[in-house]
Amino acid sequence: MRRPIVMFLVMVLCMSLLAGCLNRSTEQTAMNHDPNDDKVTLTFMGWEASPLETESVQRGLDNFMQDHPHIDVVYTPVPNEQYHSKLLTMMAGSTAPDVFFIGSEQYRDFQSRDVLMNLTELFGQDFSLDDFIPSSQDIMTIDDQIYGISSTTVSPVLFYNKDIFDAADVPYPPHDPQDAWTWAEFVDVAQQLTFTEGSQTEQYGVYGLEAFYMHVGLILSNGGQVWDDQKNIVLNSPASQDVLTAIKALREEHGVSPEARYLENVGMNAAQMLQTGKIAMMVDGSWALQELAQMGFPVGVAPLPKFGGQATTHGQAHLNAAWSETEHPEEAWALIKYLSSESYQLDLIREGLWMPNRTNMYTQEWIDQWHNPDVHPEGFVAMTSFFKDSKPFPFALNDKAAINDIITEELDKFFYGQQSVEDTLQAIEQRGQAELGK
């Protein structure tokens, strides 16, 4: 009987030692566990419109990572000109970033290629479409589905150098869109602010309207359209003819606007021309305010002049989207939700880069939070409805971005060649319809 007892005691001892070893092993494993092993690294790509914008985006990402310590975000800004072709190439090579900016003009094209993650269900859990301004609602929604979230809104506006107006004793443009200049009033002021010495023009009244992006709001204000309900291109209209002819007359008839190559000759961009008094007024995107506010001259902002009864601009901005093949959809949504939040917008609006895409952010309570007297010129608050009521940029509602290139090509023949306005609009219609039929 003694031998079984001894064997039993030996077995108990071995099991105790084994249990002890396992416990120590588990404890050691826990001690050595690195919480960073659970970290997810998201790749994020956007474009660099300016170093100031990149700095703003990086500050926002730093805040996101502080609030989400289990997510690292690696941000890659890419030059705007190469951005979407590079993104498509990366998708084809299965190396696309998890989250990215998508231009409003490319959004529908990318969605048609089935490369965007469908965000509809997640969006419904965290956002309400009705909270967004109408132009952002229209741009985001594709057949009642959401594949990208509006980041903000930006619009063409009229910038001016207050010193030039003061020196000429000319009143500033009205800030309230309801009181915006008529086209005739705008041309009259541009003539008053144009000065020549001999045969040389020393100061031009205005620059920037010959780009389609900057003047399509005037066509809309004149009752023109780009698309009909069936998505046919209907830009060939008397309303468009009136606007294009009037813009060309600024340079060729009134002599108040320089050619684009004038900028190359003087070695300045448009903002520098406004700063140095080469031009008195400049039509540009509202995002330019961030840079202008830091250039050390008194800048003013006003609505565009009106052709019809109401001053009109368009609104759009990039959307935040995720790759349909991302391995981290949950974390990708967390980043998109943050980038599309009101709190993320706030600092960028205060810096003059963006304008709100939420209706509630145009209430006095929110305006008090984002209005920055060091950036937003006097009278800016009076023109906020110009952004809130903006029309969606027409090329954000169509998946044929190539038509925008056709318009640019044909308008160059009109503004800088001998092609008539009638032939220009007819060529846009014919080439555009052919592109739509592909």
Side-chain angles (χ1 to χ4, degrees):
M1 292 295 292
R2 290 182 60 188
R3 186 170 181 176
I5 291 173
V6 170
M7 291 182 66
F8 174 76
L9 292 174
V10 169
M11 289 177 62
V12 169
L13 178 61
C14 289
M15 291 177 67
S16 297
L17 289 172
L18 179 61
C21 289
L22 287 173
N23 287 339
R24 281 195 297 276
S25 176
T26 303
E27 289 168 5
Q28 191 66 40
T29 299
M31 288 173 63
N32 292 339
H33 176 73
D34 186 351
N36 288 332
D37 289 347
D38 297 329
K39 269 200 168 185
V40 168
T41 299
L42 282 180
T43 50
F44 173 44
M45 195 165 88
W47 56 73
E48 183 174 78
S50 72
L52 289 174
E53 179 171 0
T54 299
E55 290 173 15
S56 299
V57 172
Q58 190 58 59
R59 279 199 302 275
L61 294 177
D62 291 343
N63 291 334
F64 172 80
M65 288 186 281
Q66 190 171 4
D67 293 341
H68 300 78
H70 66 295
I71 303 176
D72 270 341
V73 181
V74 178
Y75 178 47
T76 304
V78 172
N80 200 359
E81 295 76 17
Q82 308 166 11
Y83 183 81
H84 290 96
S85 60
K86 180 179 178 66
L87 185 54
L88 279 176
T89 301
M90 295 173 78
M91 286 173 170
S94 297
T95 58
D98 299 290
V99 178
F100 43 83
F101 292 175
I102 184 82
S104 62
E105 296 172 56
Q106 288 78 24
Y107 173 52
R108 280 166 167 72
D109 177 38
F110 273 61
Q111 188 278 327
S112 70
R113 298 169 189 260
D114 200 24
V115 293
L116 302 182
M117 179 175 155
N118 191 329
L119 305 175
T120 309
E121 184 175 346
L122 295 167
F123 179 86
Q125 294 171 8
D126 293 301
F127 295 96
S128 170
L129 190 62
D130 291 339
D131 289 342
F132 288 78
I133 61 175
S135 57
S136 293
Q137 291 185 32
D138 291 345
I139 292 171
M140 279 192 290
T141 309
I142 304 176
D143 297 331
D144 297 324
Q145 302 292 300
I146 303 288
Y147 299 87
I149 313 298
S150 167
S151 59
T152 182
T153 192
V154 291
S155 301
V157 294
L158 182 69
F159 292 103
Y160 57 96
N161 186 326
K162 289 182 175 180
D163 279 347
I164 294 177
F165 277 71
D166 292 341
D169 197 23
V170 174
Y172 301 145
H175 297 107
D176 188 335
Q178 298 296 324
D179 302 324
W181 280 336
T182 64
W183 184 256
E185 292 170 329
F186 168 67
V187 173
D188 180 59
V189 171
Q191 290 174 315
Q192 292 183 57
L193 299 177
T194 298
F195 297 109
T196 59
E197 188 170 321
S199 60
Q200 188 76 24
T201 301
E202 298 294 328
Q203 176 180 293
Y204 287 95
V206 65
Y207 176 77
L209 272 171
E210 292 183 352
F212 179 73
Y213 182 88
M214 299 301 170
H215 70 238
V216 67
L218 302 183
I219 294 175
L220 300 178
S221 82
N222 200 30
Q225 296 293 331
V226 177
W227 315 111
D228 65 10
D229 293 340
Q230 287 73 46
K231 302 298 182 185
N232 296 306
I233 186 164
V234 292
L235 194 60
N236 187 6
S237 68
S240 300
Q241 284 190 26
D242 291 346
V243 171
L244 295 177
T245 302
I247 292 172
K248 190 173 183 179
L250 289 174
R251 178 165 48 82
E252 293 200 345
E253 180 181 339
H254 306 299
V256 300
S257 185
E259 288 188 18
R261 63 184 180 187
Y262 176 79
L263 279 69
E264 297 176 9
N265 294 338
V266 298
M268 296 182 183
N269 61 33
Q272 291 167 330
M273 289 172 58
L274 187 69
Q275 176 195 31
T276 58
K278 297 291 184 184
I279 55 175
M281 297 180 283
M282 173 182 78
V283 176
D284 203 349
S286 53
W287 60 81
L289 181 59
Q290 183 188 36
E291 179 183 1
L292 292 169
Q294 298 185 32
M295 293 179 71
F297 73 100
V299 61
V301 191
L304 299 175
K306 56 190 175 187
F307 256 82
Q310 186 171 355
T312 304
T313 191
H314 62 76
Q316 61 83 38
H318 73 267
L319 299 95
N320 298 307
W323 186 27
S324 58
E325 297 183 25
T326 177
E327 295 179 356
H328 309 293
E330 184 178 339
E331 290 79 10
W333 173 246
L335 179 58
I336 290 173
K337 189 168 69 169
Y338 172 76
L339 294 171
S340 307
S341 66
E342 293 157 324
S343 59
Y344 179 72
Q345 287 187 57
L346 203 55
D347 285 344
L348 294 162
I349 297 168
R350 285 182 55 79
E351 292 177 9
L353 185 66
W354 288 0
M355 284 300 293
N357 65 357
R358 304 297 213 285
T359 54
N360 65 317
M361 295 183 79
Y362 289 92
T363 61
Q364 192 59 54
E365 179 183 357
W366 271 94
I367 289 174
D368 290 343
Q369 294 185 54
W370 59 254
H371 180 251
N372 180 358
D374 294 333
V375 171
H376 299 109
E378 183 180 356
F380 189 84
V381 172
M383 66 176 289
T384 50
S385 63
F386 197 54
F387 302 98
K388 182 169 67 73
D389 300 333
S390 60
K391 306 290 186 185
F393 180 53
F395 280 93
L397 303 179
N398 193 288
D399 63 359
K400 296 290 186 182
I403 298 178
N404 203 358
D405 297 333
I406 291 172
I407 291 175
T408 299
E409 290 175 17
E410 296 299 332
L411 287 180
D412 281 349
K413 297 176 186 174
F414 169 65
F415 283 124
Y416 300 108
Q418 299 301 315
Q419 184 165 273
S420 69
V421 67
E422 293 85 359
D423 290 345
T424 298
L425 291 170
Q426 188 173 14
I428 290 172
E429 180 179 302
Q430 291 174 346
R431 292 181 62 190
Q433 284 301 121
E435 185 65 31
L436 287 170
K438 291 181 180 177

